[in-house]
Amino acid sequence: MSLRYRTEDNAGTALVQVQDDLRQLKRDLQKLNDTELGKTLNLEELETAIHNTEHEIKKRAEDELLVPPNTEDSSKTRGLLPKWEPQLKCFPDLRPQKICQARSLYAKSKLCSLSFPVGRIQTSEDAKAGGHQSGRHKEASLPFGEDLKSSKIGIKNFEFRCPRPLQCETEPIPSPSAAKTPPPSITSKSTAHTDRESVSKVLSEEPPENTSKLTFTIKLGHIKASENDFCVFMKSFSLCRSRVDHALKHLCQLLQAYAVPVAVVKGEQLVELAYSWDSEWRGTLPISSLLSALHNQDDVLKVLSRPGQRFKGEGGTEAAAVHIQSCWRRFTARSAYLRYCRRKWAVGSISLSWLMRAQMCRVRKALQARRFSQLENQRCRAQHLAANWNHIQASKRTIIHVPSLGYSENQRRSLRDFDVLQNIQLGRLCEIRDEIIDVIYVCPLRLNEDVTQYYSSLLKRNRPQEEGTAGAPENSLSKRRFIILTPEAVDYFPSHSMCLSSLLKYSPRTLTRIRHLIQGKRAYIVPGVAHVDDLAVADELGVPLMGPEPAVAQLYGTKSGARRIFREAGVEIPPGAEDVYSLDQLHECLAELMVQNLNVTRWLFKMDSEVEGTALCDVSHMKSFSWALSQYQRYGPDAWRSKGIQEPVVLRFLKEIPQWLSSHAHPTKTSQHSTWTGFLQTYLRQGGVVEAYPPSDSVYCVTVDLLLEPGGQISTLSCGDQLRSPCGLKVLGSCVPQRSLCPETVQSLCARVGQACLQKGIIGHMSVVLASFTLCASKQHKVWALDLHLSYSDHLAMTQILLHNSQGMLSCQNSIDVPMPNTEKSAQMHCAAKRYAVLSSKLFHANLSMLYRSVFFQMCKVRGIGFNPQKKQGTLFALFDSSERRRIGMIAVSESPEGALVTFAHNLSVIHQEISSSRTQGETNFKELIKDIEDFLQNKQRGVVSNNT
């Protein structure tokens, strides 16, 4: 410490002496300014005072700090000097705070070394001692030393002031008011540790004082040096001219570039701006900082903000040209870039589309090849089934029932409770009444224990005891003879409305289980409505399909296809036209049909798909129809067949038909199509037929279920009279067996239709709908073939439940023959009894969902609704689901047809009364069916039914 600092008092005394000399110099200058204004200033005294001050500071610094003068680089020496910290408030602590602020500290050192030139006046001794220093170290010398000698102007209004700490680049520029620093107090004379750099900074950072009124004017960016205001300003700040010139230069360039007429500069703020800005570190002064040094900065800012003002100043033409060229280059470059982007996007889109198309083509070809392979395998298995059918039919076999409704996706989504509709044929389980048949039933939904237990008890109720099964365990039948499986894909696709075949296709565990169950056994699949996924399931299991190919079923399973089959079979069909796909075709066909069949009073419009429903329109609402009848009576039946006579009537019908249909045609299923317009759109999109309704007051429709065996035989499985809604188009149930047609007529018609189907390659289950009626005018009896369904029907599934529980055999000759024990003889003897039944699988009541199954059966038992196994009569129920519970099936068995009808209607009435009230009737079709049964009984009493029935 003694080597570096000899005494603290010597350094403090030197600084105090410096301050006293400077203060005395200031007073002398003020006296000179006040008393001797206009006289010549003696610069020699000023030169001598400054020289003595500098020499004394150098000497004291060299003695006190032990540093040889001018022997090293000033930047290196500055870093090695010991530092002292005076207790004066005016001297800031210039020590670096953090390493990351090195750039700011360097800027501070630059500013301190350049701000106050008085402490660094170069003398001859310094010139000799420092001749070896580099040019960059000479920046600390007074830049205007020569100007001081030649200007003959002293330092005016000078006062020793502490420097302002320099802010970092990222900090905002301090306001001019913040740039002022109060002069040091008397307490600053106390001694403290310092070095040469600190002293030089303190002495070189002192700006002039009392410049609040130093203003001058800049016109069009140019300053007249002869103006008094500017001369006073430059004289006041001659010691810091380099900094002021830097700021003034940028301000003038700005005003020239924008052709600002007048700008009044505040000198003090300009100086503060010059001191607060380092040109080497921060470059050009910002416009906001330059404008802050102006009195009329608002007016100047308005001028600068004018559009195109930049091009009115100096170099405006060149700037405009540069701006135009840059804009044009930018436009061309951006246009080229956008073209490139569009082309790149187009290339990417085309490439992606091509890749996707190629991938789709590969997938499509693979699917086509796979489906073709599945179809070929099915044909091979079908040939093997046909060749060995007699042997298979007489041996033990397993039937896999898949009651799938393979409609289109739009049709499946439009159906309410689609999964329940697929499970209506749960009665297929009852085929196990044949002892050589085992059943695997694929269920489209999860069944609770109440439903499975009900069918287990139903299937075990009437097992024949004489065939050696009496000693079998109680649950052997349910475990070995039938099994209910639900595909796991039901849980994966709960809201996709997929058909059962598709769900089974995507259920590998269920397929594996079925494969294990049929391993080593003869088996085949009985599907529902044919779907392409039936082939995939059959190919996966390796078993044949007892049904038509999907393509064949889609072709002939429509209304139009059914008319073609009936026409080839040679059976009579209603007058009509098929394959209607346009509105003009519909109008033309309808007009010609109406002219040729004036006895038809109602026309039906049936879609090719059965699920979409039917619409009807009566000719009684047609204005020109009575005129057409008068024309027919005028010409007679024979002449009416002439085209020349019919043509005017056809033209008149064509004009009236569009308005007639839009006003009076209406769909029968309002739940799917509420208006004729919506029905017509779907009708023309899918295609359909125009067909005559039987021209009679009493029409009876018969459903006949057939089995087209692979060997070529045709078997009748069931037949019944349909119970239709009041409109006559909606089937609600049936009476088994049928009694409306002669059995021989039914057999003949069905045989011809079956043979026509076999010729088309159609095998498996199918049902035919026949209409029996008598013409009103000629009293001639007619039988029309109305419809054809190439699938296992709901009517046949309910008939299986009936036959299983009654242990009867259906005789299409008029009754169901059931075995009855003979009470007079031995109990082992049996006699045959006749039974009749009314069945329906389409019962719907919304209030049924409010009852549990056990409560429902208990209610029926209390009201006497049940089945008597000994008498083989009573009521049987069919359950379809465990969640909604709104749909049920019911079978009423009695000794007479009228008794079965009365029992069925009575059961519906009792159930409706039990589950409904005056306020909560609920949505139901019970009332429609009761009304239809009452009408049927009334017609029966009037003798409408033919005697041979």
Side-chain angles (χ1 to χ4, degrees):
M1 291 297 293
S2 62
L3 292 177
R4 300 183 63 180
Y5 304 104
R6 295 179 179 177
T7 59
E8 296 181 357
D9 296 337
N10 294 337
T13 304
L15 292 176
V16 170
Q17 183 63 36
V18 170
Q19 290 186 356
D20 293 338
D21 294 340
L22 292 176
R23 192 175 293 110
Q24 181 64 34
L25 180 61
K26 178 179 179 181
R27 284 195 294 268
D28 294 340
L29 290 175
Q30 288 178 351
K31 291 179 181 181
L32 179 63
N33 194 24
D34 296 336
T35 59
E36 299 178 2
L37 187 61
K39 297 181 180 181
T40 303
L41 178 65
N42 189 359
L43 296 179
E44 295 180 359
E45 296 179 1
L46 179 62
E47 186 87 355
T48 303
I50 294 174
H51 178 73
N52 294 337
T53 302
E54 185 179 12
H55 180 70
E56 186 66 19
I57 291 175
K58 288 183 178 181
K59 184 177 180 180
R60 293 294 182 182
E62 292 172 359
D63 294 340
E64 298 293 319
L65 303 178
L66 299 179
V67 179
N70 300 328
T71 58
E72 294 182 0
D73 193 347
S74 61
S75 62
K76 297 180 181 179
T77 305
R78 187 182 301 115
L80 298 174
L81 293 178
K83 299 183 180 180
W84 63 283
E85 185 175 0
Q87 298 181 358
L88 299 177
K89 297 182 179 179
C90 60
F91 288 96
D93 185 8
L94 301 178
R95 293 178 298 177
Q97 300 296 327
K98 295 182 181 179
I99 297 177
C100 63
Q101 297 177 350
R103 181 178 180 182
S104 176
L105 292 175
Y106 176 74
K108 288 182 180 180
S109 63
K110 290 287 291 181
L111 179 60
C112 294
S113 62
L114 297 176
S115 298
F116 189 62
V118 177
R120 292 291 296 167
I121 297 177
Q122 188 176 12
T123 61
S124 58
E125 297 175 2
D126 292 336
K128 294 178 182 179
H132 64 278
Q133 292 184 355
S134 61
R136 63 186 181 89
H137 294 126
K138 294 181 181 180
E139 293 178 358
S141 62
L142 180 65
F144 297 108
E146 298 179 358
D147 294 341
L148 274 173
K149 297 178 181 179
S150 60
S151 63
K152 297 182 181 181
I153 300 176
I155 301 175
K156 183 179 179 181
N157 297 333
F158 179 81
E159 183 177 350
F160 189 80
R161 304 171 71 187
C162 294
R164 287 177 47 194
L166 183 65
Q167 296 180 353
C168 298
E169 288 185 44
T170 57
E171 295 179 351
I173 300 174
S175 61
S177 60
K180 294 184 178 180
T181 304
S185 62
I186 302 200
T187 58
S188 63
K189 297 180 180 181
S190 61
T191 60
H193 297 286
T194 185
D195 58 2
R196 180 187 301 175
E197 180 183 5
S198 299
V199 174
S200 63
K201 289 180 180 178
V202 171
L203 297 178
S204 62
E205 280 293 332
E206 183 63 27
E209 189 184 19
N210 195 14
T211 59
S212 60
K213 296 183 179 180
L214 297 176
T215 61
F216 59 92
T217 304
I218 302 177
K219 296 181 179 180
L220 295 176
H222 298 281
I223 303 174
K224 291 184 178 181
S226 61
E227 290 186 356
N228 186 28
D229 295 340
F230 181 71
C231 292
V232 172
F233 169 76
M234 294 304 296
K235 291 176 182 179
S236 302
F237 297 99
S238 60
L239 295 179
C240 53
R241 184 173 178 178
S242 62
R243 290 183 174 275
V244 175
D245 286 346
H246 178 73
L248 197 59
K249 175 184 176 182
H250 287 285
L251 180 60
C252 292
Q253 289 177 354
L254 175 65
L255 299 177
Q256 291 172 10
Y258 285 88
V260 179
V262 177
V264 181
V265 183
K266 296 183 291 186
E268 184 181 23
Q269 279 77 358
L270 184 63
V271 173
E272 295 295 341
L273 178 62
Y275 270 81
S276 63
W277 199 266
D278 191 345
S279 62
E280 294 187 10
W281 280 99
R282 303 193 184 185
T284 306
L285 290 168
I287 296 178
S288 60
S289 300
L290 292 173
L291 295 181
S292 65
L294 301 178
H295 275 294
N296 59 339
Q297 57 178 336
D298 294 337
D299 298 335
V300 174
L301 184 61
K302 291 180 181 179
V303 175
L304 297 181
S305 302
R306 293 175 186 172
Q309 186 66 27
R310 170 64 186 91
F311 310 124
K312 296 180 181 180
E314 294 186 2
T317 305
E318 292 79 2
V322 171
H323 184 72
I324 293 172
Q325 292 176 6
S326 63
C327 290
W328 174 252
R329 292 192 185 100
R330 180 181 61 184
F331 172 76
T332 54
R334 180 165 177 79
S335 300
Y337 175 72
L338 292 178
R339 286 196 302 271
Y340 167 76
C341 291
R342 285 194 296 269
R343 291 173 181 174
K344 183 178 180 180
W345 174 83
V347 169
S349 300
I350 294 173
S351 302
L352 182 61
S353 300
W354 174 254
L355 292 175
M356 293 297 295
R357 180 178 176 83
Q359 180 67 16
M360 290 293 293
C361 291
R362 287 193 294 269
V363 173
R364 188 179 292 109
K365 289 180 180 179
L367 287 176
Q368 290 177 352
R370 186 174 181 179
R371 289 175 179 174
F372 181 77
S373 175
Q374 294 171 356
L375 181 60
E376 290 296 323
N377 294 338
Q378 164 60 23
R379 289 175 178 175
C380 294
R381 290 190 292 266
Q383 291 178 359
H384 181 270
L385 181 67
N388 300 275
W389 175 249
N390 293 331
H391 176 69
I392 294 173
Q393 193 176 19
S395 60
K396 185 76 173 180
R397 63 186 184 275
T398 301
I399 301 177
I400 305 171
H401 284 282
V402 185
S404 175
L405 297 180
Y407 302 135
S408 64
E409 182 178 0
N410 293 333
Q411 294 171 353
R412 295 196 305 267
R413 292 186 180 275
S414 64
L415 292 175
R416 182 180 180 182
D417 299 333
F418 179 69
D419 52 348
V420 179
L421 293 178
Q422 290 190 113
N423 203 41
I424 286 179
Q425 297 182 5
L426 198 57
R428 295 191 188 192
L429 292 170
C430 295
E431 287 192 10
I432 62 172
R433 73 179 187 276
D434 191 346
E435 293 297 325
I436 61 175
I437 294 178
D438 293 339
V439 172
I440 298 176
Y441 181 84
V442 181
C443 185
L445 45 81
R446 301 288 182 183
L447 297 179
N448 292 342
E449 188 177 358
D450 56 349
V451 179
T452 56
Q453 287 182 353
Y454 174 77
Y455 278 100
S456 297
S457 61
L458 188 70
L459 294 174
K460 291 185 295 184
R461 179 181 298 169
N462 293 314
R463 281 186 300 159
Q465 301 294 331
E466 70 276 10
E467 296 185 13
T469 59
E474 186 68 21
N475 59 352
S476 61
L477 181 64
S478 62
K479 287 187 176 181
R480 293 185 300 174
R481 301 293 307 283
F482 79 94
I483 186 172
I484 301 175
L485 299 177
T486 301
E488 64 268 19
V490 172
D491 302 326
Y492 304 153
F493 310 102
S495 60
H496 287 66
S497 298
M498 298 174 65
C499 67
L500 184 58
S501 298
S502 300
L503 293 175
L504 185 59
K505 174 185 175 182
Y506 297 113
S507 302
R509 287 184 294 177
T510 306
L511 291 173
T512 302
R513 188 175 180 186
I514 294 175
R515 194 181 299 111
H516 290 329
L517 291 172
I518 63 175
Q519 188 174 7
K521 301 179 181 179
R522 295 181 177 88
Y524 56 86
I525 297 176
V526 177
V529 178
H531 191 268
V532 67
D533 287 338
D534 293 333
L535 297 177
V537 172
D539 191 66
E540 185 70 23
L541 297 176
V543 295
L545 282 172
M546 178 65 76
E549 297 178 3
V552 176
Q554 292 175 3
L555 178 62
Y556 296 105
T558 61
K559 303 296 182 182
S560 300
R563 288 180 63 86
R564 289 192 289 269
I565 290 289
F566 292 148
R567 192 179 290 110
E568 293 184 8
V571 299
E572 192 173 0
I573 58 177
E578 60 268 11
D579 298 324
V580 178
Y581 290 96
S582 66
L583 189 60
D584 294 337
Q585 182 186 5
L586 173 64
H587 293 166
E588 293 174 0
C589 293
L590 184 58
E592 293 180 359
L593 290 172
M594 291 174 65
V595 170
Q596 295 173 4
N597 302 274
L598 292 177
N599 61 331
V600 177
T601 59
R602 175 178 291 179
W603 292 92
L604 305 178
F605 307 93
K606 299 180 180 180
M607 293 186 186
D608 278 338
S609 174
E610 177 68 21
V611 298
E612 295 293 345
T614 305
L616 58 89
C617 193
D618 294 331
V619 297
S620 59
H621 302 289
M622 200 170 189
K623 298 179 181 179
S624 59
F625 187 74
S626 58
W627 172 80
L629 288 177
S630 63
Q631 294 295 318
Y632 175 78
Q633 294 175 359
R634 173 185 176 185
Y635 291 103
D638 297 334
W640 185 256
R641 297 187 182 93
S642 174
K643 295 293 183 181
I645 297 176
Q646 292 182 358
E647 185 175 358
V649 183
V650 171
L651 294 177
R652 188 165 180 177
F653 278 175
L654 280 175
K655 294 180 181 179
E656 190 177 353
I657 281 176
Q659 181 63 31
W660 171 60
L661 290 177
S662 61
S663 301
H664 302 284
H666 58 89
T668 58
K669 292 183 179 180
T670 57
S671 60
Q672 297 180 0
H673 302 285
S674 58
T675 61
W676 163 255
T677 303
F679 177 87
L680 184 62
Q681 293 177 355
T682 309
Y683 175 85
L684 297 178
R685 184 175 64 251
Q686 291 186 1
V689 300
V690 180
E691 199 169 83
Y693 186 80
S696 177
D697 296 334
S698 299
V699 180
Y700 298 94
C701 296
V702 178
T703 299
V704 182
D705 292 298
L706 304 175
L707 175 61
L708 305 182
E709 300 179 3
Q713 296 82 9
I714 302 174
S715 304
T716 302
L717 303 180
S718 175
C719 60
D721 294 320
Q722 292 183 354
L723 297 176
R724 296 202 167 205
S725 61
C727 67
L729 298 176
K730 187 176 181 181
V731 181
L732 301 177
S734 61
C735 299
V736 179
Q738 66 87 21
R739 301 172 64 243
S740 302
L741 289 175
C742 177
E744 288 77 11
T745 303
V746 172
Q747 291 291 339
S748 175
L749 293 176
C750 292
R752 284 187 285 175
V753 173
Q755 288 296 331
C757 290
L758 287 174
Q759 292 177 3
K760 300 294 182 182
I762 300 173
I763 62 171
H765 294 84
M766 59 177 292
S767 59
V768 181
V769 179
L770 305 175
S772 173
F773 62 96
T774 302
L775 296 175
C776 298
S778 61
K779 304 299 180 181
Q780 183 181 3
H781 184 261
K782 290 281 188 179
V783 178
W784 286 352
L786 297 182
D787 209 350
L788 177 67
H789 301 282
L790 303 181
S791 62
Y792 201 106
S793 67
D794 300 342
H795 178 265
L796 179 58
M798 296 297 292
T799 304
Q800 297 289 356
I801 298 177
L802 170 64
L803 298 178
H804 180 273
N805 286 271
S806 64
Q807 296 182 345
M809 296 295 295
L810 178 63
S811 172
C812 294
Q813 299 297 326
N814 290 331
S815 64
I816 301 174
D817 298 330
V818 298
M820 295 292 292
N822 191 348
T823 57
E824 297 180 356
K825 298 182 181 180
S826 174
Q828 299 295 330
M829 301 296 295
H830 295 79
C831 62
K834 297 184 181 298
R835 291 290 182 267
Y836 303 89
V838 177
L839 53 88
S840 175
S841 61
K842 296 179 172 59
L843 300 180
F844 178 87
H845 204 300
N847 293 345
L848 284 172
S849 60
M850 297 185 298
L851 298 178
Y852 289 104
R853 297 299 189 191
S854 58
V855 177
F856 174 77
F857 288 122
Q858 186 66 25
M859 178 194 70
C860 294
K861 183 177 180 180
V862 171
R863 299 303 299 269
I865 300 175
F867 187 77
N868 190 337
Q870 288 75 25
K871 295 183 178 180
K872 305 295 192 257
Q873 62 183 10
T875 303
L876 295 169
F877 291 99
L879 308 180
F880 305 136
D881 69 306
S882 301
S883 56
E884 297 293 337
R885 302 192 305 272
R886 295 181 298 188
R887 298 177 183 272
I888 61 171
M890 187 170 66
I891 303 173
V893 184
S894 181
E895 295 178 351
S896 64
E898 293 79 7
L901 288 170
V902 171
T903 302
F904 195 89
H906 173 73
N907 294 341
L908 292 178
S909 178
V910 170
I911 295 173
H912 178 69
Q913 292 176 4
E914 290 290 335
I915 65 177
S916 304
S917 64
S918 58
R919 296 183 179 180
T920 58
Q921 290 291 318
E923 183 182 358
T924 181
N925 59 358
F926 283 16
K927 297 180 180 180
E928 297 181 17
L929 195 51
I930 293 173
K931 181 67 170 57
D932 187 64
I933 292 174
E934 291 176 354
D935 294 342
F936 187 87
L937 292 175
Q938 290 177 2
N939 292 337
K940 178 68 176 179
Q941 292 176 359
R942 295 173 183 176
V944 178
V945 181
S946 59
N947 295 329
N948 59 359
T949 60

